[in-house]
Every structure is written in structure tokens, then in C-alpha cells.
């Protein structure tokens, strides 16, 4: 029993001195943020009660449309770059997710698609778009709210009608627990996430 107590005290001391949580590495990443999906005004209203718990709060514009009866979230390269900088694009492999190291190249002639299964040149709003499939990549640690994600050149993105949908990305202060704030979002679709703070 004494050995276990000594080991536990030593582990806690090392964690405090290291400045990063060894326990996190043992039990897995801890969520430090939330993404909410909806319209901008609704997001601002529902974020208001938890704003004192936040370290940062950003809004990003996207569009949602359908292709082959599946929902696709479309964003331009600028938005994708911002989400990537927070470590939010993650590849699903062997039922685990890890942040991707770079974003694929996007041009006016070719968009990029992240989806569970490969789709060749999806048809959107009656038009086929040249698209390069880049793997089973999601926002956060799991597929949420939509079936796939497409990154387009800004000019091409502007030509898509779709349903305007705002992403609210909330980074919580270290003393706050985002999971306890999930119930605050009654009209939105919240998702727990891990934001890479040194990229924030």
C-alpha cells in the first residue's frame, strides 16, 4: 500500500513540474473546447452564459449542402487554414484520431474532400466538381453534424448556395471544464474537442 502511495505522490509531483499532464497521456487527451454548429446569432446567444469560462471564441462561415443523400460541409481555404491551425482536422485510423500535419493543396480547378469513403467528383447543386479525396478526416475526434467536408478555393466556394452554417469554436480556460457546459447549448449541436493551444 505504501509503495502505491509513494508512486502516486511521485507521479503527481512530476506532472506539476513538467508543466504538462502525464496523466493525460495515460488516459488520453482531455477536451479543452467545444464546437457548436448553427446560425451566428443563436451561437452568440447560447455562448453568452459561459463566456467568462472562455479563453477564446471564434466564428467561421461554412455552407452545408447534399450530394448522393449525404450532408457535406463546404468551407473555403481560409477557414480550413484557421481550423487546421487549432489542430482540429484529425485523421480517423484504427478507431483512433490524430491531428493531420498539413492541409492538401486547393486550387480553383480542384477541391479537396475529407470523407469516410472515397467519392469521385461529387455533384453539388447539379454541377460536378473536380475533387481530390484525401482520406477519412474529420473535425474534432469523430464525425459530427455532417457526413463529409470539402475545402474549396474562395471564388468557387462563393458560387455554392447551400445552407449558411456558422462554426463557433470555444477554447475554455484551464480551470474550466467544457463538458459541464454542454447542456448550455439547447438549440445548437455541440461537440467536445481538443484544441492545440500552442497553435491557438
Amino acid at each position: 500500500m505504501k509503495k502505491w502511495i509513494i508512486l502516486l505522490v511521485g507521479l503527481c509531483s512530476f506532472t506539476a513540474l513538467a508543466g504538462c499532464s502525464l496523466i493525460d497521456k495515460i488516459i488520453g487527451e482531455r477536451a479543452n473546447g467545444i464546437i457548436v454548429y448553427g446560425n451566428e446569432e443563436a451561437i452568440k446567444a447560447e455562448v453568452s452564459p459561459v463566456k467568462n469560462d472562455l479563453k477564446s471564441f471564434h466564428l467561421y462561415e461554412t455552407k452545408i449542402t447534399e450530394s448522393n443523400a449525404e450532408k457535406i460541409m463546404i468551407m473555403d481555404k481560409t477557414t480550413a487554414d484557421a481550423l487546421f491551425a487549432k489542430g482540429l482536422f484529425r485523421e480517423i485510423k484504427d478507431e483512433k484520431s490524430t491531428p493531420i500535419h498539413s492541409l492538401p493543396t486547393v486550387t480553383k480547378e480542384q477541391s479537396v474532400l475529407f470523407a469516410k469513403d472515397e467519392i469521385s467528383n461529387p455533384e453539388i447543386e447539379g454541377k460536378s466538381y473536380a475533387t481530390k479525396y484525401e482520406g477519412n478526416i474529420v473535425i474534432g475526434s469523430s464525425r459530427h453534424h455532417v457526413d463529409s467536408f470539402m475545402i474549396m478555393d474562395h471564388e468557387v466556394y462563393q458560387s455554392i448556395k447551400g445552407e449558411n452554417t456558422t462554426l463557433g469554436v470555444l477554447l475554455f480556460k484551464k480551470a474550466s471544464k467544457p463538458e459541464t457546459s454542454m447542456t448550455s447549448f439547447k438549440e445548437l449541436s455541440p461537440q467536445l474537442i481538443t484544441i492545440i493551444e500552442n497553435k491557438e
Side-chain angles (χ1 to χ4, degrees):
M1 182 66 180
K2 288 182 179 179
K3 289 182 179 180
W4 280 107
I5 293 173
I6 292 170
L7 180 62
L8 182 59
V9 170
L11 179 61
C12 290
S13 299
F14 177 80
T15 298
L17 290 171
C20 62
S21 178
L22 180 62
I23 294 174
D24 282 359
K25 292 182 180 180
I26 296 172
I27 65 174
E29 293 176 315
R30 291 180 178 175
N32 61 358
I34 291 176
I35 287 184
V36 286
Y37 303 80
N39 71 67
E40 184 173 337
E41 293 307 313
I43 290 175
K44 287 180 177 178
E46 296 207 1
V47 166
S48 183
V50 301
K51 64 182 180 181
N52 290 334
D53 296 325
L54 301 180
K55 184 176 180 180
S56 68
F57 169 46
H58 297 98
L59 296 170
Y60 301 99
E61 176 193 298
T62 69
K63 296 176 183 180
I64 292 180
T65 188
E66 287 194 3
S67 179
N68 297 323
E70 291 197 345
K71 281 188 174 183
I72 299 179
M73 176 173 285
I74 301 174
M75 64 188 71
D76 67 10
K77 184 67 164 54
T78 301
T79 295
D81 284 338
L83 298 179
F84 169 75
K86 297 178 187 297
L88 295 182
F89 284 112
R90 301 174 70 98
E91 183 178 17
I92 304 293
K93 192 173 183 180
D94 298 327
E95 298 183 357
K96 295 180 181 179
S97 71
T98 54
I100 63 175
H101 300 296
S102 62
L103 278 177
T105 300
V106 174
T107 66
K108 288 183 179 179
E109 293 73 31
Q110 188 175 66
S111 301
V112 164
L113 178 70
F114 297 146
K116 184 176 181 180
D117 300 307
E118 185 169 358
I119 303 172
S120 179
N121 301 336
E123 186 175 296
I124 297 172
E125 298 173 355
K127 181 180 178 179
S128 180
Y129 287 85
T131 304
K132 186 177 181 182
Y133 174 72
E134 288 286 354
N136 188 11
I137 295 168
V138 297
I139 292 176
S141 59
S142 62
R143 188 162 280 98
H144 186 86
H145 198 67
V146 296
D147 300 298
S148 57
F149 302 90
M150 187 179 292
I151 305 173
M152 291 182 162
D153 172 82
H154 181 71
E155 188 176 322
V156 180
Y157 168 83
Q158 290 288 79
S159 70
I160 302 293
K161 294 179 181 179
E163 174 189 349
N164 291 328
T165 301
T166 299
L167 267 65
V169 179
L170 292 66
L171 174 62
F172 283 73
K173 297 174 182 175
K174 287 187 177 180
S176 302
K177 295 181 178 179
E179 56 269 23
T180 63
S181 299
M182 290 287 280
T183 55
S184 299
F185 304 103
K186 297 177 175 60
E187 302 298 325
L188 303 173
S189 179
Q191 176 187 9
L192 283 171
I193 56 171
T194 301
I195 297 172
I196 299 177
E197 292 194 60
N198 61 2
K199 287 189 175 185
E200 172 62 16

